[in-house]
Amino acid sequence: MSHFEHLRSHAIPALQATMEEYVAPASGARHIHLTTSGADMAFLVGFPTVPDASDGRAHILEHLALCGSQRYPVRDPFFAMLRRSTATFMNAFTYADRTVYPFVSTDENDFYNLLDVYLDAAFFPKLDYLNFLQEGWRYTLTDGVLGYQGVVFNEMKGAFADPGHALYKGLTSTILSGTTYEVDSGGDPLAIPELTHQMLKDFHASHYHPSQAVFMTAGPLPAAAVQARIAERVLARQIDVSARRVPQLASAFAAPQRNTVRIPSQQGRDNEFGLQMTWLMGESAIPKVAFEASLLSAGLLGDAAAPLMKAMETAGYGRPSGFNGHDDSARQMLFHVGMEGLTEAQAPMAEALIWATLEQVAEQGVEHATLQAALRDLKYQQRNTRSGSMPNVLERLLTALPVAMRDGDVVTAFDSDAILQAMESDIADPAYFKALVRNLLTSPGRLVSTIVPDAAYFSDRDAVESARLAQASAQLTDADRARIAADTVALEAHQKTAFDSQVLPRIRPGDVSTQPRALPAFAPTADDIYAFSIGSNGISSASIVYDVSAIPAADWPWLALYTQLRDDLGLEGQDYAEAGAWRQRMVPSFGFDLQPFQLPDGALRIDLTVSANALREEHANIVAVLDAYMARPRFDEAVRLRYLLERKVENTLDDLAQAGSHYASMAVSAPLAQVRRFQDAIAGPTALAFNARLKTLAATPEGVAQVAAELARIHAAIVAQRPSMLCAGSGDDGHELARLLAAAWPTSGATTGAAAAPDESAEAALQAPANVALHAAGQVNHCNIAWAVPMSHDDDAGALSVAAELFTNQVLHTALREAGGAYGGSASYAGDSGVFSMASFRDPRLAATYRDFDAAVDTILASDYSDEQLEEAIIGVIKKLDKPEAPWDAVRLGWRMFRRGTDMATRERFRKGVLGCTQAQVKAVVQKYLKNGTASRAAFAGNTEQDLGGLAVVDLSVLAGA
């Protein structure tokens, strides 16, 4: 007999899916299932977690729950299953008011294996004390000096490097005062040491229970089968009911409030102030509230012509805040409008400008076409099957979960057609949108925040931490010191303890296909036009691809700048605002992209792609937009161009610490491969010197004119080539769209660009490994080491890819994360560029981590791994190869394979090399390319007082022109 009762089913034609809703009356547990025909099978269980302190209890519990459970009493079942499963996604997330445990797999056996592990982890975790010390926080004694350590502790030190994190908490701590959103659910490193192991266990007991749980699944599997497993594993053991936890509502404001928020700054420059206005709106789970907030975002801020966006961009000072728009992360919807990049004196001016503009819009409204486009975009999003950082079906579940947990109608989270149809009539009345804006002006639920840059932000926090450690150290007894030492010894032993992996299920190499997954096939055509029929839910897509490989290396930064700025500039007969508004009304998705490819001989190819996606009834709009942006550009809007340059420069300077991991990964690999050299030139530390040059050019009219001339020159070089065209859609839509594009597009120009052969200077650059510590103020490091190795067409490629998995699973995870306290530690093999690398992320150490990197090579060579460990590494490679792509993404991946010269025979050879890899082959490639190779080293260093291991310091602020 099922524990669950069926409440309702709802067909969703736009998704070709059906939503089913169930409840288990005895416990109160809920199950929402989305029946789909795609390959992805998704699961999640979510719990409301509403902490009242910033000690990180919800976040640390998320980590600890995955460190062993009653049925799987091994040290680290989550990370073990990462290498024993073909899951296309596995993770866990702590949000401000909920914790979620999701996974996705395409294999039914694997799905149920993971379901068992996740259910036991969530409901019956061991919550071991030693794991609490590892994942949460602990005292350390190094040469008698007291310190802190812990994975979450260090992870959150890295999170606090983001000015946006400080800004957001500064806003919510006031406007959502008295609710769980007032505290930092991830944990403030200054408060995390207040959490005890018993407090964590109590939090689990009160929050992780079937009465609190929402189960969600999606895919081609029956809901009853999942429910039977949930009933057997959980509900049969926990049947009592407790009141469901719902996040508190903020108290109503009697009058608008003000506060000051200090954010981290590298130098405390006088143009880093900001002004932010935040409104408290209705409950985000109410569809009307959510969609009206979306309309406000679109009508006020949606494009360059939107009145509030235009007012802020043309103010002559500052720039729009990155926080602008509606925010549904809390139970109550927030709406943000603000400016950044201000001087202190300009903050009141920004407030007055925003207020005056809102009053103007409340009187005059916005064009009906703008609101129509906003509703069209919402319809597009409902049909869109493309994936981002996770599979599309999981994104939909995660979007619907807070609606379900906040007592909303979950159907509306999946199917908004009826609401959108009703809103079509709402927006037909000009008074409707005016009233939405008027409500902002009259609402007492408003917070005005002055944002102040704080160059002492990190040093002040370090000082507080040091003072607390000094106080704690002074109070330590001999017994306390003995206990800390004993805990350290016990934890080290715990981390080194082998566990019986046989209790965990796994997928073996023999369980997976020997053939690569199918991708759309490409072969040269006379007209370079490629059309495909895909399952796209009525969305059509087109890309115009220019081969710009012949553009010289000196122009790469200009090519990247062109790609970044082009869609923010005007068209012949239209200024930038008119062009942006027109494009937004024509298509819901548009953009430029640069994609480099390295050929097996080391030569570099570069594609510049301009793409548009729209509903199938908008084919003519797709063609018109693509044609206009490539045939009718203008670069003569000097005021606009200067603003865009200054925005780019300042955003880069503001983001130096937060982007530290990215810069280190670019610097370490740039000397090793042509494609990485290109990426460094356009987005790595090398690009920061170009940022400094742009800052100088933007300062004078002559400099801005020079930039305009360079952009025009790059555009002329691009359109001199005859492009390739990729089109796809439902049924015959892709072919029809291709016919329309071919008829509208000029046929002149060279056939395609030729791959530029590396010149002597480029070859020389690829022979000088890095040895740098890139510095910006922060509290953590990101360490990287890399070697040049063969690309994926080589016979050694399979063994290199398996070696990367072995390094990660058997050496680096333990050394860097468990023992070293870094949030992440891994190795990777990039077959598309011929680079093998190891990296740590949010790492409290630097020199010691590089010693661990070096030791890892010797460990792999000296160790004899079991067949099971080798097979786990093989599965780790295969599941990345077999990850499903959304239909249009599969077309684009097939194109990239075609451009790289990676045919089916190459893919089959690589897969065969992976599946047949032996331990001897792994050791041979590690010896040949790593032990005997020359390593490149680059780290981001949060401070330069630590041991830098011989790395030469490079100040990112100086490099970027601060």
Side-chain angles (χ1 to χ4, degrees):
M1 179 178 179
S2 174
H3 286 248
F4 287 87
E5 292 183 1
H6 179 251
L7 298 180
R8 57 177 172 170
S9 294
H10 179 84
I12 311 172
L15 286 178
Q16 302 178 43
T18 299
M19 192 215 78
E20 304 165 17
E21 188 172 6
Y22 302 86
V23 67
S27 65
R30 290 174 291 168
H31 179 211
I32 295 161
H33 179 64
L34 193 66
T35 302
T36 65
S37 58
D40 285 318
M41 292 175 281
F43 167 86
L44 68 79
V45 58
F47 303 95
T49 46
V50 287
D52 58 4
S54 293
D55 54 20
R57 61 187 66 183
H59 187 187
I60 295 172
L61 175 57
E62 171 221 312
H63 281 237
L64 218 61
L66 298 171
C67 287
S69 62
Q70 292 181 14
R71 188 174 181 187
Y72 305 103
V74 299
R75 179 163 51 86
D76 212 347
F78 173 76
F79 283 98
M81 288 305 295
L82 279 174
R83 55 186 185 260
R84 300 170 71 89
S85 161
T86 55
T88 56
F89 186 91
M90 284 177 62
N91 214 328
F93 303 116
T94 300
Y95 297 89
D97 60 5
R98 61 196 182 279
T99 302
V100 189
Y101 298 86
F103 69 81
V104 182
S105 182
T106 58
D107 180 276
E108 186 173 353
N109 288 332
D110 189 48
F111 176 87
Y112 286 105
N113 287 346
L114 288 169
L115 181 61
D116 283 347
V117 172
Y118 265 63
L119 290 176
D120 210 57
F123 291 96
F124 310 108
K126 292 177 64 179
L127 302 182
D128 183 83
Y129 172 67
L130 293 177
N131 288 331
F132 172 77
L133 297 182
Q134 172 185 289
E135 297 297 315
W137 78 277
R138 64 186 182 273
Y139 282 123
T140 61
L141 281 169
T142 304
D143 297 328
V145 178
L146 193 67
Y148 294 125
Q149 184 61 284
V151 172
V152 170
F153 180 82
N154 291 317
E155 177 190 354
M156 294 310 297
K157 277 196 170 183
F160 270 64
D162 180 8
H165 183 96
L167 173 55
Y168 191 71
K169 293 316 301 178
L171 303 178
T172 56
S173 63
T174 298
I175 198 164
L176 295 172
S177 176
T179 75
T180 191
Y181 308 104
E182 180 180 0
V183 305
D184 195 315
S185 62
D188 183 337
L190 295 179
I192 286 174
E194 299 169 5
L195 181 70
T196 68
H197 182 227
Q198 186 59 50
M199 291 163 62
L200 185 90
K201 293 196 292 184
D202 293 344
F203 191 75
H204 177 271
S206 62
H207 286 73
Y208 282 43
H209 189 274
S211 61
Q212 308 296 320
V214 176
F215 300 97
M216 302 185 85
T217 49
L221 70 168
V226 178
Q227 291 167 5
R229 191 66 64 95
I230 294 171
E232 177 187 356
R233 300 288 192 241
V234 179
L235 301 186
R237 300 169 61 183
Q238 292 187 337
I239 57 175
D240 56 311
V241 178
S242 59
R244 189 155 48 85
R245 294 177 179 273
V246 178
Q248 311 97 314
L249 293 171
S251 301
F253 283 16
Q257 298 187 25
R258 291 181 177 269
N259 73 349
T260 298
V261 179
R262 308 190 77 84
I263 63 172
S265 167
Q266 291 299 311
Q267 296 178 324
R269 292 173 292 131
D270 61 3
N271 65 342
E272 292 185 283
F273 287 80
L275 185 285
Q276 198 74 36
M277 302 176 74
T278 304
W279 282 266
L280 187 64
M281 305 177 74
E283 295 199 38
S284 57
I286 299 174
K288 192 75 168 176
V289 172
F291 285 115
E292 287 184 343
S294 295
L295 281 181
L296 278 171
S297 291
L300 294 173
L301 301 159
D303 56 63
L308 201 46
M309 182 64 74
K310 187 172 184 178
M312 291 187 290
E313 289 189 338
T314 60
Y317 53 87
R319 59 191 183 275
S321 165
F323 269 80
N324 288 345
H326 64 289
D327 170 9
D328 62 359
S329 58
R331 182 179 174 187
Q332 286 158 283
M333 183 74 69
L334 301 178
F335 191 76
H336 304 283
V337 179
M339 295 183 71
E340 59 192 22
L342 305 171
T343 65
E344 186 172 9
Q346 290 167 345
M349 297 164 56
E351 180 181 355
L353 174 68
I354 291 169
W355 195 259
T357 305
L358 290 173
E359 288 185 323
Q360 179 182 347
V361 178
E363 292 295 326
Q364 300 177 3
V366 297
E367 293 187 35
H368 181 241
T370 299
L371 303 179
Q372 283 183 311
L375 295 185
R376 184 275 321 275
D377 288 353
L378 292 171
K379 295 176 184 176
Y380 171 85
Q381 292 167 10
Q382 182 164 292
R383 291 193 202 177
N384 191 12
T385 60
R386 294 192 66 184
S387 299
S389 59
M390 63 184 69
N392 184 272
V393 290
L394 181 57
E395 289 182 353
R396 293 185 183 277
L397 296 185
L398 288 170
T399 299
L401 177 63
V403 176
M405 299 185 88
R406 297 169 185 166
D407 291 329
D409 182 358
V410 73
V411 166
T412 63
F414 293 109
D415 183 5
S416 56
D417 273 356
I419 301 168
L420 294 177
Q421 288 176 10
M423 294 190 75
E424 291 279 5
S425 59
D426 289 337
I427 65 172
D429 181 0
Y432 174 73
F433 188 79
K434 295 177 184 178
L436 295 181
V437 179
R438 180 62 62 187
N439 288 340
L440 294 179
L441 293 169
T442 58
S443 171
R446 182 176 77 251
L447 172 67
V448 181
S449 301
T450 301
I451 317 304
V452 178
D454 186 357
Y457 185 88
F458 296 118
S459 60
D460 286 349
R461 290 181 64 85
D462 286 340
V464 173
E465 180 180 316
S466 296
R468 291 180 180 177
L469 283 169
Q471 181 181 14
S473 181
Q475 297 172 349
L476 285 180
T477 64
D478 290 342
D480 292 331
R481 290 180 177 272
R483 177 182 52 77
I484 293 171
D487 282 347
T488 300
V489 171
L491 179 58
E492 289 175 352
H494 177 67
Q495 291 166 343
K496 295 175 182 178
T497 301
F499 61 83
D500 181 11
S501 60
Q502 298 305 311
V503 301
L504 290 170
R506 71 180 176 114
I507 298 296
R508 303 168 187 267
D511 298 329
V512 302
S513 173
T514 59
Q515 293 299 306
R517 59 178 166 146
L519 289 173
F522 283 83
T525 63
D527 56 5
D528 287 321
I529 298 176
Y530 304 88
F532 296 90
S533 177
I534 61 174
S536 65
N537 286 351
I539 290 177
S540 294
S541 304
S543 289
I544 308 300
V545 185
Y546 293 90
D547 186 336
V548 294
S549 308
I551 289 180
D555 282 339
W556 289 348
W558 291 111
L559 178 63
L561 185 68
Y562 172 92
T563 306
Q564 294 158 6
L565 301 188
R566 182 65 194 89
D567 60 355
D568 277 328
L569 296 171
L571 301 169
E572 289 181 5
Q574 295 176 299
D575 65 23
Y576 73 91
E578 294 166 335
W582 170 76
R583 185 187 71 237
Q584 181 63 31
R585 294 168 188 174
M586 295 289 280
V587 295
S589 175
F590 173 81
F592 287 78
D593 182 45
L594 274 179
Q595 182 68 56
F597 309 95
Q598 186 167 304
L599 303 185
D601 64 1
L604 182 68
R605 280 185 174 170
I606 308 168
D607 280 354
L608 183 143
T609 303
V610 54
S611 302
N613 308 276
L615 304 176
R616 65 189 308 176
E617 53 267 30
E618 297 174 317
H619 282 184
N621 292 6
I622 292 176
V623 175
V625 169
L626 292 175
D627 178 65
Y629 273 85
M630 299 315 296
R632 299 191 292 108
R634 60 180 297 187
F635 303 101
D636 60 342
E637 297 173 276
V639 173
R640 174 63 171 176
L641 186 53
R642 177 176 180 174
Y643 165 77
L644 294 175
L645 293 172
E646 290 176 341
R647 182 181 68 179
K648 172 180 167 55
V649 166
E650 294 301 324
N651 285 343
T652 299
L653 292 173
D654 290 345
D655 201 35
L656 289 176
Q658 184 64 9
S661 176
H662 165 78
Y663 287 130
S665 67
M666 290 288 98
V668 79
S669 59
L672 307 180
Q674 291 288 7
V675 68
R676 298 299 182 89
R677 176 172 169 252
F678 173 82
Q679 292 166 337
D680 174 53
I682 68 170
T686 299
L688 293 179
F690 184 69
N691 191 75
R693 183 181 177 190
L694 291 180
K695 181 179 180 181
T696 300
L697 291 171
T700 66
E702 295 78 13
V704 173
Q706 182 179 337
V707 173
E710 294 289 352
L711 295 177
R713 179 176 63 83
I714 292 294
H715 180 81
I718 293 168
V719 297
Q721 310 297 324
R722 189 182 77 186
S724 301
M725 301 182 186
L726 314 182
C727 298
S730 302
D732 292 331
D733 289 352
H735 295 82
E736 174 59 26
L737 182 54
R739 286 192 290 271
L740 291 173
L741 272 175
W745 219 259
T747 57
S748 60
T751 52
T752 57
D759 57 28
E760 292 183 2
S761 61
E763 288 299 311
L766 298 187
Q767 296 171 7
N771 190 57
V772 295
L774 305 170
H775 170 63
Q779 294 183 295
V780 293
N781 310 301
H782 309 284
C783 304
N784 292 262
I785 187 171
W787 296 262
V789 298
M791 293 176 62
S792 56
H793 64 283
D794 191 273
D795 289 340
D796 284 340
L800 285 164
S801 64
V802 175
E805 295 295 319
L806 267 181
F807 270 108
T808 298
N809 301 336
Q810 304 303 329
V811 185
L812 297 178
H813 176 76
T814 299
L816 303 186
R817 180 183 167 104
E818 294 181 350
Y823 179 60
S826 62
S828 63
Y829 165 64
D832 59 347
S833 59
V835 173
F836 191 100
S837 59
M838 302 182 201
S840 70
F841 181 68
R842 292 182 178 172
D843 193 339
R845 308 180 305 155
L846 194 149
T849 291
Y850 279 100
R851 290 194 291 271
D852 284 341
F853 287 153
D854 293 338
V857 174
D858 293 331
T859 300
I860 290 289
L861 291 175
S863 301
D864 291 324
Y865 294 104
S866 66
D867 291 343
E868 180 178 324
Q869 289 169 325
L870 183 65
E871 289 178 354
E872 288 176 350
I874 290 171
I875 287 299
V877 177
I878 293 297
K879 72 177 182 180
K880 295 172 185 175
L881 298 176
D882 290 350
K883 183 178 180 180
E885 299 280 352
W888 175 236
D889 293 330
V891 171
R892 290 164 62 89
L893 177 59
W895 171 258
R896 292 195 294 272
M897 293 279 192
F898 174 58
R899 290 285 283 149
R900 275 203 304 262
T902 304
D903 57 15
M904 181 57 78
T906 302
R907 296 175 64 203
E908 288 176 345
R909 184 168 61 252
F910 177 75
R911 191 179 185 92
K912 182 179 179 181
V914 172
L915 290 171
C917 183
T918 66
Q919 189 166 177
Q921 289 174 320
V922 168
K923 291 187 176 183
V925 297
V926 171
Q927 180 73 43
K928 181 177 181 180
Y929 300 111
L930 276 59
K931 185 66 175 178
N932 297 339
T934 301
S936 180
R937 290 176 167 84
F940 170 84
N943 75 78
T944 56
E945 299 301 316
Q946 62 187 312
D947 182 355
L948 297 177
L951 301 181
V953 176
V954 174
D955 192 310
L956 290 175
S957 295
V958 174
L959 198 62

